[in-house]
Amino acid sequence: MAYRHIIGRQTHVFEDLRELMAKATPARSGDRLAGLAAGSAEEAVAARMALAELPLSTFLAEALVPYEADEVTRLILDSHDRAAFAPVASLTVGDFRDWLLSDEATTSALARLAPGITPEMAAAVCKIMRLQDLIAVARKCRVVTRFRNTIGLPGTMAVRLQPNHPSDDPRGILASMCEGLAFGCGDAVIGINPVSDNLAVLGDLLKLLDELITRLEIPTQGCVLTHVTSSIELIGRGAPVDLVFQSVAGTEAANRSFGIDLAVLREGHEAGRSLKRGTLGANLMYFETGQGSALSAEAHHGVDQQTLEARAYAVCRAFDPLLVNTVVGFIGPEYLYDGKQITRAGLEDHFCGKLMGLPMGCDVCYTNHAEADQDDMDALLTLLGAAGVTYVMGVPGADDVMLNYQSTSFHDQLYIRDLLGLKRAPEFEAWLAAHGLTEADGRLAAKPGEGRLLASLAELAA
Amino acid sequence: MSEPDLWRRLAQSTPARLRLGRSGAGLPTRETLRFSLAHAQARDAVHASLDADGLERGLAALGLATVRVSSRAAGRDSYLLRPDLGRTLADAGRERLTGSGAGPVDLALIVADGLSARAVTAHAAKVVAALLPPVRQAGWRIGPVAIAEQARVALGDEIGALLQARLALVLIGERPGLSSPDSLGLYLTYAPRPGRSDGERNCISNIHAAGLSHDQAAAGALWLIRAAFARQMTGVALKDESGATPAIAEPGRG
């Protein structure tokens, strides 16, 4: 059905819900590339005004990606929790924004609501929210997950230690891990992006992580970010897999282009659970997402990239993940052109993920072919810190020498901790203090007691 | 081994930016400026254009014919904002390929500028040189090497299809990193044709001085080509089980 909005003498007509959603989306190059963007600034606002009048329940009746053709749509609609949705069932998208900002939307009310919110609802309200709205509401959401430590407690922010190496050299990876730990990074996960798909290489990296974590008794988890089918194979061969990783997208066709479907994710989840390696909890899936991936795979069904990104969170949500992060600026300028677009997308993704009940982190990042620089990253990191982001990345010197992009550094996470008083996962914080790496207040020790750490590493490196 | 020795040895095993020091939580001045310089150089690498003549000479020296093609992206800005254009051949190149009468071939070799023409200049001919002896020994027919400008990986699908290739091997400049503005990637696609998805390819990336060597890349590619021909597929279902050990970085090599 068509949607209309009249401004002065001009009637803006939107042929269907997909067009309305796409044209209501704040400007980004990916939607323009797909031919979905509003034709004028006024048309974009008209679309937002029409969207604000739309009942939220519309999204339960009208699928943006056809139910018959897409298993992600089926997952969203078949698993929708109507009881959880009830408190907002009669609201329009605009009313929903007002409610989210109100004192009625407490932390506990938002937690109860999460299973009732579909990705399309989150995306719709997001499109009519300003950055301050996205920050204020996300900050009220709380999602706590556990494997070997507790992630997401109020007043904390975790960091994924990302010690990548351009040829998977274990000693080079160990060097980055050691310095990252000395900077107090690694409570979210120590996660290596391998260059190689070779199962023997991946197995060796898993053993390295396992030895480090076991020998130093670090209350954290390791992950080699390889394809879920490789993790399943490695688990079958007895490799020590803590977290099962996969990149996911918001349509069945885009996921197929990643070589996955819901069934293989289920298989990966089961394989991970069978090892029972978590000591505090059983959240063990680690997902990465990012706006634009569905269009990149030509699997977008005429839907805008922000809505499709939120749909990827429905995929994540089905597997009780420990960690989910958008890799917001990695995809490149054809999808997110510059610092302004990356900033908005990062806050949108964080908001939508949190509203849907996910432990949402963000890889605050950019590539060298985007119109962005360190100033943009400082701004986004600061905004996400204020929004209560679950975790960010810790990359030596912000320069990922394997993936060839810039993320947040060991230094950057210190900056935001100092600025906002953010603590680490409590078990990890205690471990750092016990090893003399931090003072009692959690700040890095002026003369860190790296001695014991190094002695153990020497044996590992030998 | 003393602790400082261990630190030094470990830190020498990676090009990662370690031991930068701190000014409060921030970077010391010299490091923040050094970072700005690296970013400026990487930005410049993105916008550099391919030395196709030099590449042609390098490949001719290996006894290889070449054919020059370009995508439908008219320039860098168009290339950056319109990946769809970068995946489609411009008419002139398409005609040259169909007119070459080269197909069918076993292996279509495509050298593409991608996001770093510098990477192609530095490494492409050398990787091809390392790959050629075993390819010739295997008796695989390769046809002319396509030199593709303003090209994305998927442009190899169309080129491979026009050459009626069993497999397309694309050597392409990867997005420039701060520490590696000249990193080359290899993409293998069995039965190439327009519309292939990324899940149907295998990739070997990070071929540069501090990453994979030319020989390592060629050996990896050869293993994957053999496996792809044997199993008639590439992609996520084709796992690299060549038993290769992880490469130890030796800065300056390459």
Side-chain angles (χ1 to χ4, degrees), chain B residues 66-198:
Chain B
T66 52
V67 53
R68 303 261 284 259
V69 301
S70 61
S71 79
R72 286 175 57 220
R76 268 286 105 159
D77 288 343
S78 160
Y79 176 81
L80 289 175
L81 283 170
R82 293 287 305 271
D84 53 329
L85 298 182
R87 295 187 197 119
T88 319
L89 279 172
D91 293 341
R94 187 181 291 128
E95 283 159 20
R96 270 196 286 280
L97 280 168
T98 36
S100 72
V105 300
D106 293 306
L107 208 57
L109 291 180
I110 297 109
V111 180
D113 52 1
L115 280 168
S116 175
R118 281 178 59 182
V120 172
T121 303
H123 308 298
K126 289 174 182 165
V127 171
V128 173
L131 195 59
L132 266 187
V135 164
R136 286 181 169 143
Q137 200 170 13
W140 292 326
R141 190 174 148 80
I142 48 180
V145 180
I147 297 177
E149 293 190 66
Q150 309 295 0
R152 302 231 170 210
V153 171
L155 193 70
D157 295 341
E158 190 178 359
I159 296 170
L162 288 170
L163 292 173
Q164 299 168 269
R166 289 166 70 198
L167 186 142
L169 173 62
V170 179
L171 298 83
I172 190 164
E174 299 185 316
R175 47 171 66 179
L178 284 198
S179 300
S180 53
D182 63 344
S183 180
L184 190 77
L186 304 186
Y187 287 83
L188 296 95
T189 311
Y190 187 80
R193 59 165 186 268
R196 284 283 181 215
S197 77
D198 291 340

Side-chain angles (χ1 to χ4, degrees), chain A residues 414-434:
Chain A
L414 279 186
Y415 147 78
I416 199 72
R417 288 192 192 289
D418 278 0
L419 186 77
L420 301 175
L422 296 170
K423 305 291 184 198
R424 304 170 183 91
E427 302 84 356
F428 189 81
E429 190 92 76
W431 179 85
L432 288 171

